[in-house]
Amino acid sequence: MSATGPRTTFVPYERPVRAAFVGLGRIYDLNVRAYLDNPDVEVVALVDPSEERCAQRQADWPAARTFASAAELAASGLEVDAVEALLPIPLHADGVPELLGYGWHVNLQKPICNDLAGAKRMLNAAVANDRLLRVMENYIFYEPLMKLKEIVGSGELGEVSGYHMKMVASGRGGWDVPGSSYEWQFQQMRLGRGTLVFDDGWHKLATAIWLFGPIKQVRAWVGTTEVVPGIEIDAPTTLVWEHHNGIRGVWDITLAIDMYLRSDYYTNDERWEITGRRGYARVNRCTGRGIQQPSLEVYLDGEMRPYHALDDDWASSFRDSGRHWLRWLHTGEGPMLWNVDEAVNILRFALAAYASSASGGTGVDPDSLN
Ligand SMILES: NC(=O)c1ccc[n+]([C@@H]2O[C@H](COP(=O)([O-])OP(=O)(O)OC[C@H]3O[C@@H](n4cnc5c(N)ncnc54)[C@H](O)[C@@H]3O)[C@@H](O)[C@H]2O)c1
């Protein structure tokens, strides 16, 4: 797969895009924010095998029709231009080609899928059906991270010496996650695609590539902790890597199963710290509300500069990522953030980490994977 943009004859829409949500579970609550009060889009259909979910989400879209499957929607004759695919990860590799096959553009929740063969099938389906496939990444629309990138790019920290990402998964606090979500999460873990490294971790790998470009080499040590008999979580884990530009990053993942973390969403305590020759900049939190300092701080020449007025509600990053897509469908201009090739680079980064860990931590070039 080459690093090119969409390979379709896409013609931007001059009318509101007719959209369907496929999958109405937990993350719908955040993805929907891009669609509410947005003149770029008209939500015409809601799809989920759960009648309860359909009834619950119909309150947001009284005029939309509900369906138990994408096949039923396709057979209904209802015109749909694009779908917001919020499916369990194990369904991505087969479900997305199906959606593209119905002639719909797809905005897919990350991660793209579990392996390169699945990604290839998805890309082939997009090309064969002349439809767009986007893999949404909300973190790169999180304002404190966008500001961090801007500060690094301005050069005020001096040449970048290195950076560190930290993630602590805690077991107490946050919103409820349905039991059915855990079922497919555990299935993923049994397939070696753990929830911390591969699912939530996808975002950290994405921000690394977004900040500093392609990866030359990854070294990883993926651990596990049994949280209840038979169920293991993929921490403690450490990844280190080098970008092609020579900048090195490190990411540590820790499980603090009994720690309470205040959060409106998942209980994930996160930080990004970039050190330059003159100073550093740090994003103190994202999903949860761990450190109660300003979400971004910059240290230079003996002084700390706090940013107090950034939109640091994690949900806003979903709103803005989705709006970007819906606007893109009206212009076709600029980066899609992310197209399939970009998403595959993140997948390669994750797969290289697994390959490294399996071989005892040797360096693996993500581009060397087949
Ligand atoms: N960006 C983020 O930070 C973030 C956070 C959480 C989840 N996600 C991603 O969002 C996706 C969905 O996660 P979730 O937490 O909402 O899962 P969930 O289990 O809460 O919801 C999945 C929904 O899909 C429905 N479903 C199952 N099979 C279906 C089918 N064939 N057709 C239509 N609907 C079907 C289920 O009934 C359920 O309502 C996953 O890809 C996950 O990785 C992303």
Side-chain angles (χ1 to χ4, degrees):
M1 280 173 259
S2 65
T4 54
R7 275 149 279 189
T8 65
T9 56
F10 176 68
V11 179
Y13 292 91
E14 289 179 2
R15 53 167 173 76
V17 172
R18 295 166 300 195
F21 281 91
V22 179
L24 305 173
R26 182 71 273 188
I27 212 60
Y28 165 95
D29 287 289
L30 299 187
N31 282 69
V32 74
R33 296 190 186 208
Y35 289 74
L36 297 167
D37 300 321
N38 186 344
D40 284 340
V41 68
E42 180 192 357
V43 175
V44 296
L46 301 168
V47 179
D48 200 298
S50 158
E51 279 180 30
E52 191 186 343
R53 281 295 189 204
C54 286
Q56 178 192 16
R57 306 317 190 178
Q58 179 107 66
D60 293 333
W61 311 104
R65 288 176 61 187
T66 60
F67 300 89
S69 70
E72 279 185 24
L73 165 58
S76 73
L78 187 67
E79 299 275 355
V80 170
D81 303 309
V83 298
E84 186 78 6
L86 309 178
L87 293 166
I89 302 168
L91 302 186
H92 287 192
D94 292 328
V96 169
E98 181 191 346
L99 300 174
L100 292 162
Y102 294 134
W104 305 328
H105 302 298
V106 175
N107 188 37
L108 174 68
Q109 259 288 4
K110 49 44 67 178
I112 182 168
C113 60
N114 286 338
D115 53 40
L116 291 171
K120 181 86 180 155
R121 285 208 306 281
M122 292 159 96
L123 177 63
N124 288 346
V127 173
N129 293 289
D130 198 23
R131 297 291 92 182
L132 301 169
L133 172 57
R134 177 188 192 236
V135 182
M136 69 89 80
E137 174 49 67
N138 55 294
Y139 276 54
I140 62 177
F141 290 86
Y142 182 60
E143 196 179 8
L145 285 172
M146 292 168 79
K147 192 73 188 169
L148 176 76
K149 188 175 188 326
E150 183 188 312
I151 287 166
V152 171
S154 76
E156 64 179 286
L157 301 179
E159 192 184 332
V160 173
S161 311
Y163 70 110
H164 170 224
M165 299 189 288
K166 181 174 179 63
M167 174 172 152
V168 181
S170 95
R172 295 175 47 226
W175 64 5
D176 290 333
V177 174
S180 53
S181 305
Y182 284 114
E183 282 168 26
W184 62 259
Q185 286 286 2
F186 294 153
Q187 184 187 344
Q188 282 290 101
M189 284 183 229
R190 286 191 291 274
L191 293 170
R193 300 287 182 266
T195 182
L196 300 184
V197 175
F198 193 73
D199 184 355
D200 204 332
W202 180 273
H203 299 296
K204 281 56 171 198
L205 304 178
T207 55
I209 291 178
W210 173 69
L211 284 164
F212 297 118
I215 307 292
K216 189 159 70 183
Q217 187 189 109
V218 190
R219 293 166 190 261
W221 190 6
V222 180
T224 56
T225 303
E226 190 174 66
V227 286
V228 290
I231 302 293
E232 294 189 334
I233 301 283
D234 48 340
T237 288
T238 309
L239 268 65
V240 292
W241 59 87
E242 188 170 87
H243 294 263
H244 277 280
N245 63 10
I247 293 174
R248 287 191 184 181
V250 52
W251 172 34
D252 65 86
I253 306 175
T254 313
L255 183 64
I257 199 74
D258 297 325
M259 183 175 90
Y260 170 76
L261 181 69
R262 183 177 166 219
S263 178
D264 296 326
Y265 316 107
Y266 302 98
T267 48
N268 189 358
D269 192 19
E270 299 154 292
R271 324 209 210 305
W272 287 252
E273 182 166 316
I274 298 175
T275 305
R277 288 177 61 124
R278 292 190 56 220
Y280 68 84
R282 186 177 63 226
V283 168
N284 285 316
R285 58 190 141 81
C286 184
T287 312
R289 300 203 203 185
I291 294 179
Q292 297 291 299
Q293 287 156 240
S295 51
L296 174 66
E297 296 175 299
V298 179
Y299 176 83
L300 269 178
D301 299 328
E303 291 180 1
M304 194 68 112
R305 191 169 79 231
Y307 283 79
H308 287 276
L310 300 175
D311 182 351
D312 52 18
D313 181 351
W314 186 58
S316 300
S317 66
F318 287 80
R319 179 198 63 205
D320 293 346
S321 171
R323 282 187 183 167
H324 178 85
W325 159 247
L326 295 168
R327 191 86 285 268
W328 200 97
L329 292 174
H330 290 276
T331 66
E333 288 167 7
M336 210 188 266
L337 299 173
W338 305 102
N339 64 36
V340 178
D341 297 309
E342 291 164 324
V344 167
N345 286 337
I346 303 165
L347 178 62
R348 284 184 172 280
F349 191 178
L351 297 180
Y354 287 126
S356 169
S357 187
S359 66
T362 53
V364 175
D365 173 357
D367 287 334
S368 71
L369 302 175
N370 296 312

